[in-house]
Amino acid sequence: MMLKIDVRLQREIARLHHHSNLSNRKIARIVPVSPNTINKLRKRLVQLQIGWDVLSALDDDAFLNRLALVAQTDRRGKPTPDWLSVHNELKQRDVTLDLLWREWRETAPEGVAYSQFTCGYRKWLKRQSLTMRISHRAGEKLFVDFCGKTVPIIDPSTGETRNAQVFAAVIGASSYTFATAVWTQSVSDWVECHVLAFEFFGGVPEIVVPDNLKAAVTRITRDELTLNASYQDCIRYYGAIILPARVRKPRDKSKAEVGVQLIQRWILAVLRKRRFFSLDELNAEIQRLLTLLNDRPFQKIPGSRRSRFDEIDRPALKHLPETAYEYAEFRFRVRVGRDHHVEHEGHYYSAPSQYAHSVVDIRTTANTIEVLHKGQRIASHPRSREIGGKTTNREHMPPHHRYFADGESHVLASWAEGIGPSAVRMLHYHLHERRDPTNGIRAVQRLQKEARVYGVKRFEEACDYAIRINSFCLASVRSILRTQPDKRHGEPVTPPNTSPHENVRGPDYFSDDEGE
């Protein structure tokens, strides 16, 4: 639709259309425009259903763009395209001006050449408002930040008030907005907000643009920036990139600033007099008002945040993983012990034996612990809360340990059975009843050596005596073999009231060898 009349006259016609019931002919007496032209403009206003309060707030270019009344010819009379449509198409991935010009020339063979096409678009772009000139590709960037304002929540049981933080996320091309409330700005809450945001958008953008808060950036210098490991692990899981805004460069995060402002004005300000007693109650109200915000029509361009998101951003987002990210924490530069176990919170977890003495990283979730070496996972275990305990994967043992532990257990059993029942009982204790299987295997190796030195008959006797006095430790068996307390005349062999443990020496430890 083309109307070659001054924009001021168009504004006056629109004002009279909304504020009076005058006919087209009567308006033509006030405004020097033909009744037919007035009729075309009024039909367009009825079609768009835009109030005068919205139109009056627009500048001339935005007014013409909103009504799509820009003259579609250049000064030489050649057809030109709808520059707003060109601008929106350029937000699609891999779309160029050359492609759009070729497609448009198929519908307008007499239209302007490519050089006038690009020049005309740049001239049109310069006339737009600042926020519109910042062009974002579809699905490219997600701007995230916490709002400056907090919301008080009252604990109904104690009456105490605690302030909740409000997280904001805005997609660049469509300005589609997400918000949620959490208790803190900690790393765990920060990561949870991103997981909820990706689920809200139904996909993942290419780049996430946070501010330089501690939950995102742990250290920043002139030449280097260090991201929080847990946050980086989350974004990497979703296949996105973190690109923090530069310090004191507000335009890098302009969408986040505007999104925060809108959330504070259209959501938090509306809720300022409400009293909330739980985080879920607050989030329910935030989501209700957020729906209204995203469905609210734009003032300067057609459509709403939701309609533009469905049209532009949603098709360009990457697919979500099958399962949501589980929050993880990291410990860096932890050394593996000589027994190929690594300590975390007082519990010991095995790593493959070839990594003994190596420096590794530890990644922990609520239920699992992973050992990483040079960025690669070398071990994974269920997380244990037992202080001082050990979790050992037998596949991590050295070959000779596995030989005794499980792969050749029948060989050990045959060897012990060939000696006697006491030897079988002694080996069973060290291989299956000890809390530290690694040291149990080492004890079996020493016992076999002692059997070779003293003979199998004497070894069986020593094991029998050790079992009768309830002393299973390696040191006790060695002492019995060396000092022969079971051979002494009248030596009591009643076991003391103790449980078998390698630190319990037994009564023979205190015997006087000098009297022999």
Side-chain angles (χ1 to χ4, degrees):
M1 180 179 180
M2 292 188 300
L3 291 179
K4 296 183 179 179
I5 59 176
D6 191 275
V7 66
R8 290 175 296 175
L9 299 180
Q10 295 184 33
R11 282 182 174 276
E12 183 63 15
I13 294 170
R15 188 183 69 82
L16 294 174
H17 168 77
H18 284 94
H19 290 158
S20 70
N21 294 321
L22 297 177
S23 65
N24 295 334
R25 291 186 179 275
K26 289 183 179 180
I27 293 178
R29 296 175 185 174
I30 301 173
V31 182
V33 178
S34 69
N36 288 337
T37 301
I38 294 173
N39 183 50
K40 290 180 181 180
L41 178 58
R42 296 185 78 177
K43 285 183 177 180
R44 180 62 172 164
L45 291 170
V46 172
Q47 179 184 6
L48 294 176
Q49 297 183 349
I50 303 175
W52 175 247
D53 57 336
V54 175
L55 292 173
S56 62
L58 305 179
D59 60 23
D60 290 347
D61 289 334
F63 178 88
L64 295 175
N65 288 333
R66 192 63 182 271
L67 271 64
L69 298 175
V70 180
Q72 299 297 303
T73 61
D74 69 352
R75 61 184 181 181
R76 295 171 296 177
K78 289 189 174 184
T80 59
D82 179 4
W83 297 120
L84 180 59
S85 298
V86 172
H87 182 74
N88 290 334
E89 288 290 335
L90 280 175
K91 294 184 178 183
Q92 302 293 335
R93 188 175 298 177
D94 301 326
V95 174
T96 63
L97 282 172
D98 179 72
L99 174 63
L100 295 176
W101 174 74
R102 293 178 185 278
E103 292 178 347
W104 173 73
R105 279 296 292 266
E106 292 179 0
T107 61
E110 302 299 325
V112 295
Y114 178 69
S115 58
Q116 285 78 34
F117 182 88
T118 56
C119 183
Y121 171 69
R122 293 189 181 97
K123 287 182 179 180
W124 174 87
L125 195 60
K126 288 181 180 179
R127 294 195 300 268
Q128 308 314 303
S129 63
L130 176 62
T131 55
M132 190 171 180
R133 287 205 303 269
I134 301 176
S135 179
H136 298 285
R137 289 194 298 111
E140 181 187 23
K141 291 182 179 180
L142 177 67
F143 298 84
V144 294
D145 201 358
F146 278 111
C147 296
K149 293 183 178 179
T150 58
V151 181
I153 297 180
I154 303 172
D155 187 334
S157 59
T158 64
E160 296 181 356
T161 299
R162 183 179 179 184
N163 290 328
Q165 309 290 327
V166 179
F167 172 85
V170 183
I171 286 281
S174 62
S175 296
Y176 195 52
T177 303
F178 168 75
T180 190
V182 290
W183 285 121
T184 69
Q185 294 189 15
S186 64
V187 180
S188 58
D189 281 342
W190 174 251
V191 168
E192 179 188 1
C193 289
H194 283 71
V195 174
L196 295 175
F198 293 147
E199 292 177 353
F200 175 83
F201 294 121
V204 183
E206 294 180 19
I207 300 171
V208 179
V209 183
D211 201 357
N212 290 283
L213 72 166
K214 285 292 184 181
V217 180
T218 57
R219 182 173 177 269
I220 183 169
T221 64
R222 181 176 180 179
D223 301 320
E224 187 178 0
L225 180 144
T226 304
L227 297 171
N228 181 279
S230 297
Y231 180 45
Q232 191 172 22
D233 186 60
C234 170
I235 301 304
R236 187 186 297 116
Y237 176 82
Y238 285 99
I241 300 171
I242 303 174
L243 185 64
R246 293 172 295 176
V247 179
R248 292 187 293 276
K249 297 291 182 180
R251 287 192 62 183
D252 286 2
K253 53 176 181 174
S254 57
K255 284 283 183 177
E257 297 288 347
V258 173
V260 166
Q261 186 181 66
L262 287 172
I263 289 171
Q264 292 184 162
R265 289 180 178 178
W266 294 97
I267 297 179
L268 301 187
V270 175
L271 301 176
R272 69 189 186 281
K273 296 182 180 180
R274 287 281 306 272
R275 299 178 68 190
F276 295 98
F277 298 93
S278 71
L279 202 61
D280 292 338
E281 182 186 1
L282 171 60
N283 276 321
E285 280 301 296
I286 289 177
Q287 296 308 310
R288 182 182 67 83
L289 295 174
L290 186 63
T291 300
L292 299 178
L293 172 63
N294 284 322
D295 290 337
R296 182 180 178 85
F298 287 119
Q299 291 187 353
K300 298 183 179 181
I301 55 178
S304 64
R305 288 173 173 80
R306 186 182 303 279
S307 65
R308 288 177 65 81
F309 174 75
D310 292 337
E311 177 186 354
I312 298 174
D313 278 318
R314 187 188 295 276
L317 294 176
K318 292 181 285 188
H319 294 295
L320 288 170
E322 293 183 1
T323 58
Y325 174 78
E326 184 180 7
Y327 176 71
E329 294 181 343
F330 288 81
R331 284 180 60 204
F332 296 105
R333 299 193 62 78
V334 180
R335 188 170 294 279
V336 181
R338 60 177 296 182
D339 62 348
H340 65 87
H341 282 68
V342 62
E343 181 273 335
H344 181 71
E345 295 181 348
H347 193 86
Y348 294 86
Y349 302 88
S350 68
S353 58
Q354 62 267 32
Y355 294 100
H357 307 290
S358 299
V359 175
V360 297
D361 302 327
I362 296 178
R363 180 184 184 270
T364 58
T365 66
N367 300 311
T368 62
I369 178 168
E370 297 176 345
V371 182
L372 310 175
H373 183 258
K374 297 183 178 180
Q376 300 298 313
R377 184 176 66 181
I378 60 174
S380 178
H381 300 278
R383 191 168 179 178
S384 175
R385 310 294 178 182
E386 180 186 4
I387 303 299
K390 283 190 175 183
T391 299
T392 304
N393 184 339
R394 292 183 178 272
E395 295 299 323
H396 295 163
M397 296 179 179
H400 59 286
H401 283 197
R402 289 201 302 271
Y403 176 88
F404 292 111
D406 46 26
E408 297 294 335
S409 58
H410 63 283
V411 176
L412 286 175
S414 298
W415 174 80
E417 289 172 0
I419 298 175
S422 297
V424 172
R425 178 69 184 93
M426 182 62 68
L427 263 67
H428 186 274
Y429 165 76
H430 285 286
L431 291 178
H432 302 289
E433 297 181 18
R434 290 181 58 146
R435 294 175 58 186
D436 51 344
T438 301
N439 287 326
I441 294 171
R442 293 170 64 88
V444 169
Q445 292 175 320
R446 298 299 184 185
L447 289 173
Q448 286 187 310
K449 183 178 179 180
E450 298 294 335
R452 289 193 297 268
V453 172
Y454 289 92
V456 294
K457 182 180 178 181
R458 177 60 191 147
F459 181 75
E460 171 67 13
E461 293 174 347
C463 289
D464 178 68
Y465 185 79
I467 293 170
R468 284 188 289 157
I469 66 173
N470 205 12
S471 180
F472 287 77
C473 65
L474 175 62
S476 292
V477 176
R478 281 178 167 173
S479 177
I480 293 170
L481 289 170
R482 187 178 69 255
T483 62
Q484 302 183 3
D486 55 324
K487 300 295 185 180
R488 298 173 187 174
H489 179 69
E491 182 74 26
V493 292
T494 303
N497 187 21
T498 59
S499 59
H501 192 280
E502 63 184 55
N503 291 333
V504 179
R505 298 184 177 93
D508 57 281
Y509 182 85
F510 301 97
S511 62
D512 187 4
D513 294 339
E514 296 180 358
E516 290 290 317

